[in-house]
Amino acid sequence: MRMAAVIDATVKKPGLEDLTIYRTTASVPFAGRYRLIDFTLSNIVNSNINSVGVFATYPFVSLLDHIGMGKNWDLDRRKDGLYFLPISQKAGGQITVGSFAALEEHMDFFNKSRQDYIVVTTCSTVCQIDYEDMLDAHITSGVDITEAVSGETGLSNYILKKSLLKELIRTHREKRIISVEDVVKLKKAPYTFGKYEYTGYYAIIDSMESYFQASMDLLEKDKRNELFLSNRPIYTKVKDEPPTRYMPGSHVTQSLIANGSTIEGTVNNSIISRAVSVNQSSRVDHCVIMQKSFIEKNCELSYVIADKDVHIEEGVILKGTREKPVVLRKGERVTKEEVR
Amino acid sequence: MKRKIVAMLLAGGQGSRLKSLTYDIAKPAIPFGGKYRIIDFPLSNCVNSEIHTVGVLTQYQPHVLHNYIGLGTPWDLDRRAGGVTMLTPYAGMEGIKWYDGTANAIYQNIKYLTEQDPQYVIILSGDHIYKMNYQTMLDFHIEQNAGATISVIEVPWKDASRFGIMNTDENMQVKEFVEKPAEPESNLASMGVYIFDWAKLKKYLLIDNDNENSSHDFGKDIIPLMLGEGEKMVAYPYKGYWKDVGTVESLWEANMDLLNSNSGLNLNDPDWRIFSSNPQLPPQVVGENGYLQEALINEGCVINGKVEKSIVFQDVEVKEGASLYECVVMNCVKIGSGAKLSRVIIPPDLIIPENFELKEQGDEIVLLTQDLIEEWKGSVGK
């Protein structure tokens, strides 16, 4: 294959802080059983790219734990495969994609790779893009850098020649450019730029509102069917969770539910991750409940995003709005007394 | 390298009483419990009991099993030393030797066992649903200083004549082993789990092999032979859930047991996971018209109909207006709108037509087949 991929997991989204205190944007849980990086990595492997550099900054433990050696994506190869490339603090916390200061710390990845083209991508765009198709468009157009767009919106996915990327990295200080995104935005001379029109479903996740909206999108059949394609599966770290158990008295509609959960209460219009418990007489409406969260009896939650391991005690009532969902941080315990 | 214990898992069973389910796969490969296959249970028991060397003996329609087990990765058995080894019958200078009886299957793999050089061997069968710590049984075997230990479970007296029954003294020492006794003296049934000192087992396998009148079976031949020679043999009383899923009825029952919190068959124990090969599928979707009561549902399912007291495997679609009651629906089944099914096992990949209904089934559990579907289509003129 002619392409290698760079996943820029150094990008911080200031609007996602509630979910990124303990993790990178790349490892934010999404869609019940995935992390954001799963969509990016799956696009890459579904486009037959098997040399992938993941540039990550602290705190990356959950990301490293999730992707490991890339086995679940078939990236545990003798040749090429997945390279985890952590960078130093000083180059960390970028807000633009393809930051040269970060890429510079691992020039070896580019020097060793045998591929002529590089895809530079991020984890905050969820879509089903075909990079082989995008590369064809890039080569045909003859431009220096191609950006994937959907209408007027840039998707923060770029293809360029490896030689050009290396040159940009080498000269970024003198040319006063900080990232691939920056070069494209400024339409920096003397380079030429092209666009690749992507037509499928996408979501750009850069705030709690967009995270919540993208989650709710998945409850719409048409959007869901554009994201989950049987011939281009989304791969993730598999877990040995048992089937989800719907207990007597449960009532569930219009929801996405991962394995290992136990549902005794009512769940509507919600995303429920693995191993979640919704106990008797509790109601969960328009919520995103992440892994291993525990909702005791007689709770009423609407428009709530609960991160992993959240424990909600009996009788708690939490009501957010579509525009401003209530966000519970990882491991938080909510008692009746401190209800917001 | 010397190993303390090696497991030999007998997985060659045809399971003819399971009818079309075993048409082209061996019984241990039959899907169970929404996302598992029967063999996941003994394999998971092995790794949870810290037995990391497992020989899997296959014979009947082995390709699904071989493909499924692969390098043993889902069970953490992809090891440099030990791990899982598929042991099929093979041809030697004297021709092809099929496994002829359980003891003969082990006899034919004496070379494998000699290479592993274990102190103990545990013999398991690949067609029972249970969660058991074999390490605890090994401790019992060592404590009792036994030549062989057989794990037993109390079965209802009325069923005892269907099992291999152990007659023991008050110290659980086995006095007699009777296969399917007409008038059982005890209700301690053999679970088909045996621990032997390897040196001793090897000796009796060689003696048994030379006996032309032997059927080369553990229950019928090896155990009585060892008892006859005065070897100390003890019964290890197992208290948990155990089920032989040899028939359509018992397979259905064991599935239904998963819906009953008091059955003792808990899949949701993080300390005793049942490992399985996990496909990459999106979470299950319950649609606007979905209705679920007492059900187990898995990844990739899209539920728009009514599902009650049922086990639904991965990637199943239940269309609007369809209803399932006390059913076991295996993977990739599509259930058309308006179809009504109760007390049915639906094998993988079947497509149930719109408005399909099974008539006059009474209490019996039906194993659905393409033939039954064709028959129905004929009867309603479609």
Side-chain angles (χ1 to χ4, degrees):
Chain A
M1 195 47 207
R2 296 168 296 169
M3 267 185 292
V6 163
I7 298 180
D8 188 347
T10 66
V11 183
K12 280 233 184 298
K13 298 286 170 186
L16 276 178
E17 265 154 11
D18 283 317
L19 298 177
T20 53
I21 314 169
Y22 307 107
R23 54 168 89 93
T24 58
T25 307
S27 49
V28 165
F30 185 67
R33 57 171 296 186
Y34 303 99
R35 306 276 183 158
L36 288 177
I37 197 172
D38 292 339
F39 295 86
T40 308
L41 269 179
S42 299
N43 282 335
I44 288 167
V45 298
N46 286 332
S47 303
N48 293 311
I49 298 170
N50 51 39
S51 177
V52 184
V54 178
F55 291 74
T57 189
Y58 194 78
F60 52 67
V61 174
S62 73
L63 178 62
L64 188 55
D65 175 52
H66 183 71
I67 59 178
M69 292 184 296
K71 190 169 188 63
N72 285 298
W73 296 268
D74 254 350
L75 287 170
D76 53 337
R77 306 284 179 103
R78 258 176 215 279
K79 204 172 212 175
D80 294 332
L82 184 86
Y83 295 86
F84 191 80
L85 306 167
I87 55 150
S88 62
Q89 290 288 0
K90 63 178 163 36
Q94 305 297 332
I95 50 167
T96 54
V97 180
S99 142
F100 298 123
L103 302 185
E104 194 178 32
E105 290 190 24
H106 292 289
M107 277 310 283
D108 268 359
F109 173 74
F110 303 102
N111 292 336
K112 278 187 193 162
S113 70
R114 297 160 296 127
Q115 291 82 3
D116 295 330
Y117 294 91
I118 305 281
V119 177
V120 177
T121 177
T122 167
C123 293
S124 44
T125 307
V126 171
C127 63
Q128 264 286 3
I129 195 166
D130 183 340
Y131 294 122
E132 281 187 299
D133 200 40
M134 184 170 164
L135 177 63
D136 289 347
H138 175 73
I139 292 172
T140 312
S141 72
V143 298
D144 292 323
I145 306 180
T146 297
E147 178 188 19
V149 297
S150 180
E152 294 299 301
T153 313
L155 301 179
S156 305
N157 281 249
Y158 310 94
I159 290 182
L160 67 166
K161 266 202 168 132
K162 185 175 76 181
S163 52
L164 173 58
L165 181 62
K166 285 171 75 172
E167 181 194 310
L168 289 168
I169 295 170
R170 220 169 29 239
T171 60
H172 78 276
R173 282 188 191 85
E174 61 190 80
K175 288 185 176 158
R176 293 164 183 261
I177 44 174
I178 55 167
S179 66
V180 177
E181 185 173 356
D182 188 39
V183 174
V184 173
K185 267 200 183 131
L186 296 174
K187 298 279 181 287
K188 200 83 181 172
Y191 310 113
T192 55
F193 302 90
K195 285 181 175 175
Y196 169 76
E197 185 69 31
Y198 166 78
T199 53
Y201 173 82
Y202 73 93
I204 294 171
I205 293 172
D206 52 6
S207 64
M208 290 314 293
E209 296 76 57
S210 57
Y211 177 84
F212 185 72
Q213 188 49 50
S215 300
M216 291 299 124
D217 279 354
L218 300 171
L219 300 175
E220 290 175 40
K221 190 178 169 189
D222 295 342
K223 289 181 179 165
R224 188 171 63 234
N225 289 349
E226 277 185 53
L227 191 56
F228 296 115
L229 308 173
S230 54
N231 58 341
R232 296 177 75 87
I234 309 299
Y235 301 96
T236 188
K237 180 186 181 185
V238 293
K239 290 260 172 78
D240 289 279
E241 294 288 355
T244 278
R245 237 179 127 178
Y246 295 87
M247 306 295 280
S250 67
H251 191 84
V252 179
T253 56
Q254 198 60 358
S255 292
L256 208 62
I257 302 195
N259 268 26
S261 291
T262 306
I263 316 287
E264 286 185 274
T266 299
V267 177
N268 294 315
N269 292 288
S270 295
I271 314 277
I272 308 286
S273 291
R274 291 158 155 164
V276 166
S277 291
V278 179
N279 281 279
Q280 256 173 28
S281 314
S282 276
R283 295 182 61 88
V284 174
D285 190 46
H286 287 91
C287 292
V288 178
I289 310 290
M290 297 182 202
Q291 210 176 321
K292 291 186 189 159
S293 283
F294 192 91
I295 300 165
E296 289 190 16
K297 290 178 190 171
N298 302 314
C299 295
E300 221 172 294
L301 310 183
S302 58
Y303 296 97
V304 171
I305 298 173
D307 201 334
K308 275 177 75 174
D309 295 312
V310 162
H311 189 118
I312 297 171
E313 288 191 1
E314 192 170 338
V316 167
I317 298 170
L318 287 174
K319 290 192 177 184
T321 61
R322 183 176 291 275
E323 293 70 34
K324 202 160 177 29
V326 172
V327 183
L328 304 172
R329 290 186 172 185
K330 189 176 164 188
E332 215 174 308
R333 190 177 180 108
V334 187
T335 62
K336 214 169 169 179
E337 284 67 41
E338 49 180 324
V339 164
R340 278 153 275 176
Chain B
M1 188 180 114
K2 181 106 186 144
R3 289 187 211 298
K4 187 155 191 196
I5 184 163
V6 167
M8 295 294 268
L9 176 49
L10 300 163
Q14 182 182 354
S16 53
R17 287 175 303 159
L18 285 161
K19 302 175 200 171
S20 67
L21 280 175
T22 54
Y23 177 70
D24 57 6
I25 57 173
K27 189 166 142 189
I30 288 176
F32 176 82
K35 60 170 285 191
Y36 309 96
R37 293 178 187 262
I38 297 170
I39 198 166
D40 288 335
F41 287 79
L43 278 177
S44 301
N45 287 343
C46 283
V47 296
N48 286 326
S49 303
E50 291 181 30
I51 297 175
H52 300 297
T53 306
V54 184
V56 179
L57 290 83
T58 63
Q59 175 154 280
Y60 173 80
Q61 292 284 8
H63 63 275
V64 171
L65 258 187
H66 283 230
N67 192 23
Y68 181 67
I69 291 175
L71 302 172
T73 311
W75 305 273
D76 250 353
L77 287 170
D78 50 340
R79 305 230 165 187
R80 222 174 254 285
V84 70
T85 308
M86 304 306 287
L87 302 168
T88 56
Y90 54 89
M93 293 300 278
E94 304 90 42
I96 299 173
K97 291 187 216 149
W98 292 102
Y99 292 157
D100 183 19
T102 50
N104 177 258
I106 305 297
Y107 170 82
Q108 288 199 41
N109 288 291
I110 280 180
K111 205 174 158 201
Y112 167 76
L113 279 165
T114 306
E115 275 165 20
Q116 301 303 323
D117 191 20
Q119 198 171 350
Y120 305 99
V121 175
I122 183 164
I123 312 285
L124 306 169
S125 92
D127 41 17
H128 298 146
I129 302 293
Y130 65 119
K131 302 196 302 181
M132 178 176 174
N133 193 333
Y134 303 136
Q135 217 41 261
T136 317
M137 180 176 167
L138 179 62
D139 291 345
F140 183 80
H141 175 82
I142 294 166
E143 244 168 58
Q144 295 282 326
N145 196 22
T149 299
I150 300 164
S151 94
V152 293
I153 187 159
E154 280 185 47
V155 294
W157 277 96
K158 64 176 172 55
D159 297 335
S161 56
R162 296 198 287 118
F163 294 94
I165 294 295
M166 300 284 159
N167 298 326
T168 61
D169 66 12
E170 64 283 1
N171 299 321
M172 294 311 281
Q173 197 162 330
V174 177
K175 294 286 156 221
E176 195 186 11
F177 177 87
V178 209
E179 268 293 354
K180 300 182 178 143
E183 284 176 28
E185 282 175 42
S186 120
N187 64 337
L188 292 179
S190 163
M191 293 164 59
V193 176
Y194 309 101
I195 292 178
F196 296 97
D197 287 29
W198 167 230
K200 237 164 226 171
L201 177 61
K202 189 172 177 177
K203 173 181 148 194
Y204 289 106
L205 285 174
L206 294 170
I207 298 172
D208 175 71
N209 187 59
D210 290 338
N211 178 0
E212 280 174 19
N213 299 319
S214 172
S215 53
H216 310 302
D217 184 82
F218 275 102
K220 290 193 195 99
D221 308 290
I222 298 287
I223 306 294
L225 174 68
M226 287 179 76
L227 279 174
E229 295 290 317
E231 293 288 352
K232 183 177 179 187
M233 196 169 287
V234 293
Y236 171 73
Y238 171 75
K239 298 287 183 203
Y241 180 94
W242 179 83
K243 195 142 194 153
D244 179 346
V245 285
T247 61
V248 171
E249 185 100 48
S250 61
L251 181 66
W252 177 84
E253 274 171 16
N255 273 288
M256 290 300 131
D257 284 343
L258 291 169
L259 296 172
N260 175 3
S261 302
N262 303 320
S263 70
L265 182 53
N266 174 19
L267 297 177
N268 221 336
D269 178 0
D271 296 328
W272 203 271
R273 273 273 178 260
I274 303 303
F275 302 101
S276 187
S277 163
N278 290 284
Q280 296 275 7
L281 291 167
Q284 55 200 266
V285 178
V286 184
E288 239 167 297
N289 300 305
Y291 177 84
L292 296 157
Q293 273 298 300
E294 296 185 62
L296 293 188
I297 315 283
N298 282 279
E299 284 139 1
C301 288
V302 180
I303 310 291
N304 277 300
K306 199 170 163 183
V307 180
E308 284 177 278
K309 295 197 173 173
S310 295
I311 313 293
V312 181
F313 282 66
Q314 292 126 338
D315 227 357
V316 168
E317 196 178 344
V318 181
K319 295 237 166 92
E320 266 178 53
S323 78
L324 299 170
Y325 182 75
E326 295 193 334
C327 290
V328 177
V329 185
M330 293 183 179
N331 42 301
C332 305
V333 167
K334 304 282 168 263
I335 297 175
S337 54
K340 287 187 175 43
L341 295 143
S342 77
R343 298 168 73 83
V344 174
I345 295 181
I346 309 176
D349 302 312
L350 274 191
I351 294 170
I352 313 297
E354 269 180 36
N355 300 318
F356 176 83
E357 217 169 317
L358 269 179
K359 298 251 173 9
E360 298 161 36
Q361 62 189 100
D363 260 358
E364 201 188 326
I365 305 305
V366 175
L367 176 61
L368 205 58
T369 57
Q370 191 61 43
D371 287 350
L372 277 171
I373 293 171
E374 295 307 325
E375 211 174 280
W376 174 85
K377 281 182 181 166
S379 75
V380 296
K382 286 198 177 173

